[in-house]
Amino acid sequence: MEIEEIKLEELDPEKFATEKTEEIRSIVRDGLAINALSGGVDSSVVTLLGHRALGDRFKTYFIDNGLMREGEPEHIVSLFKDIGVSVELVHAEDTFFGALRGRTDPEEKREAITQAFYRDVFAELVRETDAKYLLQGTNYTDVEETVAGIKRQHNILEQLGIDPEKMYGYRVIEPLIQLRKSAVRKVAQSLGLPEEIHKRPPFPGPALAARIIGEVTPDRVKIVRKATRIVEEALSRTGAFQYLAILHEDRVTGVREGKRDYGFQIEVRCWESKDAKVGSPTRLPYEVLDPLAERLTREVSGVVSVTYNITPKPPSTIEAV
Ligand code: XMP
């Protein structure tokens, strides 16, 4: 990997932001650029850098791929409105569900999401706006995981031999590619982003699709979305690095009101980690796990089994897909 990491200890966040703002300006010159904001710390930092660098010549979109958490698209759009950045919500749910239909292989699902983003949604936005550049928050770990062949991160192109200009008709600028997540958080804080953003637990680019084993359908997303809300409510106070709910493909026999119920299985994961490269499961007490299982089976229709992952990364990964 030729990219040189800027380590957290070496990072001067103000200087970094100034240099990157100038770099964006010098690449885009008098042209136009766009970006997609998900509300994660990486895309939030890129959003601010782009606006600083280009002002009105930079446009930010929130792509609703149908795979986001409950209320997330509206919440992020309104949070950025409050800090003076206007974000347009793009409804692309059908495009993503269409691309995912019938797919069960994890890497094929990731590839389908990548194509839906770059080939379908962004290419259309670029055509509409006449932008020549897409700014995105690819970080050092994303590149590393893809190059190592662990997972194809949704935002990796060049390192997989993809030339976005030839393939999709626009160039990609990646101002955060030398930073790991903890360093991006430092830049976010120095840019004045609210704590909700600079401390936000990571959330994967493929969104809830990274937490559905087997086919991703609107109905299955609904199940994992509800479970995610419950898990986040129950575990946010743990201070863990990341916590999530996974929907399994297999169903299992359960019993409800004295009758057989062939239902869904939810796996809960809660991680201690610094940069997601390695991780270990949080040693959650049963006082936390018991009511969580009770809520998941009571509030998420059809769930009859809840498990807690006790495997570190490696050999597990943080997300299931
Ligand atoms: P894994 O599952 O590979 O996840 O152990 C490592 C970290 O990266 C997040 N993740 C992603 N982030 N695009 C992203 O921007 C992706 O395609 C992606 N896949 C996983 C994951 O949530 C964890 O923090």
Side-chain angles (χ1 to χ4, degrees):
M1 206 158 89
E2 287 153 35
I3 302 153
E4 200 183 324
E5 182 187 352
I6 303 175
K7 296 224 159 68
L8 182 64
E9 317 79 73
E10 301 161 358
L11 176 75
D12 174 342
E14 279 90 24
K15 188 164 158 254
F16 177 85
T18 307
E19 280 173 9
K20 290 296 159 186
T21 306
E22 279 161 15
E23 198 178 299
I24 295 165
R25 233 179 250 144
S26 74
I27 299 172
V28 180
R29 299 212 238 164
D30 56 357
L32 301 174
I34 61 169
N35 84 313
L37 169 72
S38 68
V41 66
D42 305 332
S43 66
S44 297
V45 167
V46 166
T47 299
L48 287 203
L49 293 178
H51 282 278
R52 263 197 189 183
L54 305 170
D56 287 349
R57 288 180 294 112
F58 186 62
K59 198 155 169 39
T60 297
Y61 297 91
F62 188 105
I63 314 294
D64 189 350
N65 52 16
L67 308 169
M68 303 308 283
R69 287 169 289 189
E70 208 172 279
E72 196 163 29
E74 299 73 19
H75 176 64
I76 297 299
V77 170
S78 112
L79 192 148
F80 272 77
K81 192 174 174 207
D82 292 345
I83 54 176
V85 176
S86 123
V87 179
E88 189 177 323
L89 188 57
V90 175
H91 285 284
E93 295 92 326
D94 293 348
T95 305
F96 283 85
F97 283 121
L100 286 163
R101 192 172 302 130
R103 294 185 197 279
T104 53
D105 177 80
E107 290 296 288
E108 273 186 26
K109 281 159 42 178
R110 284 178 165 265
E111 168 72 11
I113 289 170
T114 297
Q115 293 302 342
F117 263 115
Y118 292 98
R119 188 195 55 212
D120 304 330
V121 177
F122 289 141
E124 178 60 29
L125 291 174
V126 159
R127 268 194 298 276
E128 274 173 21
T129 56
D130 213 22
K132 297 281 181 291
Y133 297 90
L134 172 72
L135 258 68
Q136 67 172 20
T138 323
N139 68 35
Y140 193 80
T141 312
D142 297 338
V143 179
E144 203 173 49
E145 291 235 331
T146 303
V147 171
I150 297 168
K151 282 183 191 184
R152 180 198 205 295
Q153 302 286 297
H154 80 290
N155 47 5
I156 297 296
L157 301 169
E158 195 190 316
Q159 290 78 14
L160 291 174
I162 298 167
D163 178 343
E165 197 162 18
K166 274 200 198 127
M167 285 274 281
Y168 312 117
Y170 51 83
R171 286 178 64 191
V172 172
I173 303 175
E174 297 170 311
L176 310 181
I177 204 150
Q178 290 171 276
L179 307 183
R180 288 191 192 272
K181 189 76 88 190
S182 43
V184 180
R185 291 193 194 286
K186 201 166 160 187
V187 179
Q189 196 172 5
S190 92
L191 286 171
L193 278 162
E195 191 170 298
E196 181 186 340
I197 297 287
H198 72 75
K199 286 201 174 154
R200 200 169 166 85
F203 187 64
L208 296 174
R211 299 173 179 178
I212 294 176
I213 303 174
E215 191 180 359
V216 178
T217 62
D219 283 345
R220 302 194 79 217
V221 170
K222 269 188 210 150
I223 297 170
V224 88
R225 182 178 283 137
K226 233 184 190 171
T228 301
R229 178 173 52 76
I230 294 168
V231 167
E232 290 189 350
E233 278 170 16
L235 302 185
S236 65
R237 269 159 293 157
T238 60
F241 176 79
Q242 210 171 340
Y243 28 86
L244 47 127
I246 289 158
L247 174 63
H248 279 239
E249 187 168 25
D250 289 338
R251 289 199 285 158
V252 289
T253 301
V255 56
R256 240 183 241 283
E257 288 158 16
K259 287 211 178 82
R260 180 181 191 272
D261 186 359
Y262 193 47
F264 305 119
Q265 303 186 68
I266 292 287
E267 177 188 330
V268 176
R269 295 183 180 188
C270 184
W271 292 103
E272 299 303 313
S273 178
K274 262 207 179 113
D275 271 314
K277 218 179 150 187
V278 294
S280 54
T282 307
R283 291 175 172 252
L284 291 176
Y286 273 91
E287 290 73 40
V288 173
L289 290 169
D290 281 346
L292 180 55
E294 199 276 322
R295 271 195 78 186
L296 287 164
T297 47
R298 182 164 42 86
E299 294 180 34
V300 189
S301 175
V303 172
V304 296
S305 166
V306 176
T307 56
Y308 183 57
N309 179 42
I310 51 168
T311 326
K313 173 183 177 176
S316 180
T317 56
I318 302 243
E319 308 288 345
V321 169

